[in-house]
C-alpha cells in the first residue's frame, strides 16, 4: 500500500465516499516529495511523533517509516476507514479520534512516548486553527523537541519573523519566547488536493529550554505584548494607553530611561526591550 501514490489515494477516498470539508481545513498533500522532507526534519528512529490531523495518512505513513512511534489525532471520524486502509501495513502507529485542541496532550505524551528518547509534533495544520494550535502547543509547555508544521506562507513569515521587524506581531513574540523558529521550505498550492488559494511553507520551531528574556510575570508580559500589537500604526504610548489603560506619563519615563524616542512603535522593539518595558510597567 502506497498512499503517497495519487491514484491509489484517490481510489481509496472514492471507495469510502469521502468528500473534503473546507471547514476542517481539509487540503491533503499529494506531492510525493513534501512528506518525506517533513518526516526527515521532524524525527529519527528514536523519536515519538505526535501528528495533528493525519487526514488520509500520507504524511503519517512517512513519519512511521522514519520515527519510533507515531500517535496521530484526527477530528474527522469519516477518515477512520480511509486510515485503516492507508496505514494497514504500519505497526508503529496509533490513531486517536478527537479534537487536538481539547485533548490533554501532556498526559498523552507521557502515556504514549515513555519509551522514546525525544518527542516531536508534526502536522500539515488545518489553516483555520494554525495560530491557536501553535499557541496551545507552546503554552502547554509540552516536553517536546520541536514542532515541524505546514502553515500558510504568510503565517509562516509572521510566526518566524524577527521580533523588532515589520512582519512581527504578538504571535511572533510568543513563538520567540518559547522556541527558535525557522522557515524550512516553501510548498506550492498545487501540492494539495483540493488546491488552496495560497502557497504554504513548512516551519520548524525548536523548543527552548529557557526563555531568551527574564520577565517578572509571564501572564502580564503576554497581556502587555498583545496590547503592544493591538494597533500597529499607532505609537507604543498611544497603543498601550488605549489597549490597556497604561499611564502615558509613566510610559514616557520608561522610554526615556531606556533611551527610546516617544514616537517608538512596537514593531521597533526587540525581545529585550519588550521584556524590559513590561517589567518596569509591572
Ligand atoms: N495530514 C494530512 C495531509 O497532509 O494530507 C491532512 C492535513 S489537512 C490540512 C488537516 C487535517 O486536520 C484534516 O484531516 C482535518 O480533518 C484535521 N483536523 C481539523 N481540525 C482538527 C482538530 N481540531 N484536531 C485534530 N484534527 C483536526
Amino acid at each position: 500500500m502506497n498512499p503517497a501514490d495519487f491514484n491509489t489515494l484517490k481510489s481509496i477516498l472514492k471507495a469510502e465516499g469521502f468528500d473534503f470539508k473546507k471547514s476542517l481545513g481539509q487540503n491533503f498533500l499529494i506531492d510525493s516529495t513534501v512528506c518525506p522532507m517533513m518526516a526527515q526534519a521532524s524525527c529519527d528512529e528514536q523519536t515519538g511523533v505526535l501528528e495533528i490531523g493525519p487526514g488520509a495518512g500520507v504524511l503519517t505513513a512517512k513519519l512511521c517509516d522514519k520515527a519510533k512511534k507515531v500517535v496521530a489525532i484526527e477530528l474527522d471520524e469519516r477518515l477512520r476507514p480511509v486510515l485503516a486502509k492507508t496505514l494497514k501495513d504500519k505497526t508503529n502507529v496509533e490513531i486517536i479520534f478527537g479534537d487536538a485542541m481539547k485533548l490533554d496532550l501532556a498526559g498523552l505524551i507521557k502515556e504514549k512516548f515513555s519509551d522514546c528518547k525525544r518527542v516531536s509534533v508534526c502536522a500539515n495544520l488545518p489553516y483555520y486553527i494554525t495560530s491557536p494550535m501553535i499557541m496551545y502547543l507552546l503554552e502547554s509547555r509540552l516536553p517536546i523537541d520541536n514542532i515541524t508544521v505546514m502553515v500558510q506562507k504568510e503565517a509562516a513569515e509572521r510566526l518566524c519573523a524577527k521580533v523588532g521587524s515589520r512582519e512581527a506581531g504578538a504571535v511572533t513574540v510568543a513563538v520567540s519566547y518559547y522556541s527558535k523558529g525557522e522557515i524550512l521550505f516553501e510548498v506550492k498550492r498545487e501540492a494539495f488536493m483540493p488546491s488552496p488559494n495560497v502557497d504554504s511553507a513548512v516551519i520548524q520551531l525548536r523548543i527552548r529550554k529557557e526563555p531568551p528574556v527574564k520577565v517578572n510575570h509571564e501572564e502580564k508580559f503576554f497581556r502587555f505584548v498583545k496590547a503592544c500589537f493591538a494597533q500597529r500604526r499607532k505609537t507604543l504610548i498611544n497603543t498601550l494607553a488605549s489597549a490597556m489603560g497604561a499611564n502615558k506619563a509613566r510610559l514616557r519615563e520608561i522610554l526615556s530611561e531606556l533611551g527610546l524616542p516617544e514616537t517608538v512603535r512596537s514593531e521597533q522593539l526587540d525581545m529585550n526591550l519588550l521584556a524590559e518595558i513590561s517589567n518596569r510597567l509591572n
Side-chain angles (χ1 to χ4, degrees):
M1 166 65 57
N2 179 14
D5 174 71
F6 181 55
N7 289 325
T8 309
L9 180 66
K10 247 176 107 176
S11 70
I12 292 174
L13 291 172
K14 194 168 171 218
E16 296 305 332
F18 182 81
D19 57 325
F20 293 88
K21 266 196 189 160
K22 208 174 171 186
S23 61
L24 290 181
Q26 289 179 337
N27 301 94
F28 293 176
L29 271 164
I30 49 167
D31 182 314
S32 59
T33 61
V34 176
C35 296
M37 282 162 75
M38 286 183 77
Q40 171 74 28
S42 163
C43 60
D44 62 17
E45 66 285 352
Q46 309 212 53
T47 310
V49 181
L50 184 66
E51 189 193 4
I52 294 156
V58 178
L59 174 59
T60 322
K62 293 296 166 203
L63 291 169
C64 288
D65 293 343
K66 199 90 201 149
K68 184 173 172 81
K69 188 190 273 183
V70 179
V71 173
I73 305 168
E74 174 56 59
L75 183 58
D76 190 350
E77 278 272 359
R78 296 175 310 145
L79 287 161
R80 193 186 284 276
V82 174
L83 287 163
K85 281 186 181 169
T86 56
L87 299 176
K88 76 172 176 8
D89 302 335
K90 307 296 175 194
T91 54
N92 58 345
V93 64
E94 184 179 340
I95 309 289
I96 294 173
F97 285 91
D99 185 341
M101 293 282 289
K102 294 192 181 143
L103 289 175
D104 167 16
L105 299 182
L108 197 72
I109 287 174
K110 204 167 164 197
E111 183 195 331
K112 305 288 181 190
F113 297 126
S114 56
D115 56 343
C116 298
K117 198 164 173 198
R118 63 189 79 81
V119 177
S120 68
V121 172
C122 191
N124 170 13
L125 277 182
Y127 293 146
Y128 78 107
I129 47 164
T130 300
S131 290
M133 191 68 232
I134 288 178
M135 288 316 300
Y136 182 54
L137 294 169
L138 292 172
E139 285 171 352
S140 305
R141 292 190 189 272
L142 302 175
I144 54 176
D145 177 78
N146 72 79
I147 300 172
T148 303
V149 284
M150 173 95 67
V151 298
Q152 287 192 1
K153 195 167 159 241
E154 287 69 23
E157 281 159 2
R158 161 108 356 151
L159 289 162
C160 297
K162 189 170 175 295
V163 177
S165 73
R166 289 195 76 171
E167 293 73 33
V171 72
T172 321
V173 179
V175 165
S176 300
Y177 186 80
Y178 293 110
S179 69
K180 284 185 190 169
E182 186 191 354
I183 296 180
L184 297 185
F185 53 90
E186 290 182 10
V187 180
K188 290 283 172 213
R189 61 196 76 184
E190 296 77 29
F192 302 88
M193 172 174 72
S195 179
N197 295 328
V198 289
D199 293 327
S200 296
V202 174
I203 63 169
Q204 184 161 68
L205 310 180
R206 298 209 144 269
I207 307 303
R208 293 181 190 273
K209 298 228 173 335
E210 295 292 333
V213 288
K214 174 122 191 54
V215 299
N216 293 345
H217 192 295
E218 263 182 15
E219 219 179 297
K220 285 184 182 168
F221 173 66
F222 285 115
R223 226 177 296 140
F224 160 81
V225 168
K226 241 185 210 149
C228 281
F229 290 94
Q231 290 160 300
R232 304 169 63 89
R233 283 174 208 282
K234 286 191 177 178
T235 63
L236 180 74
I237 292 183
N238 286 336
T239 306
L240 289 179
S242 78
M244 58 184 269
N247 180 311
K248 282 192 176 185
R250 177 67 191 125
L251 277 169
R252 273 193 207 97
E253 229 172 69
I254 293 174
L255 293 185
S256 150
E257 284 162 16
L258 294 171
L260 293 167
E262 281 187 18
T263 53
V264 76
R265 290 166 200 273
S266 309
E267 62 191 32
Q268 296 170 286
L269 302 172
D270 63 17
M271 281 300 268
N272 285 319
L273 286 169
L274 285 167
E276 198 55 51
I277 298 170
S278 168
N279 287 344
R280 288 180 195 212
L281 264 180
N282 294 308

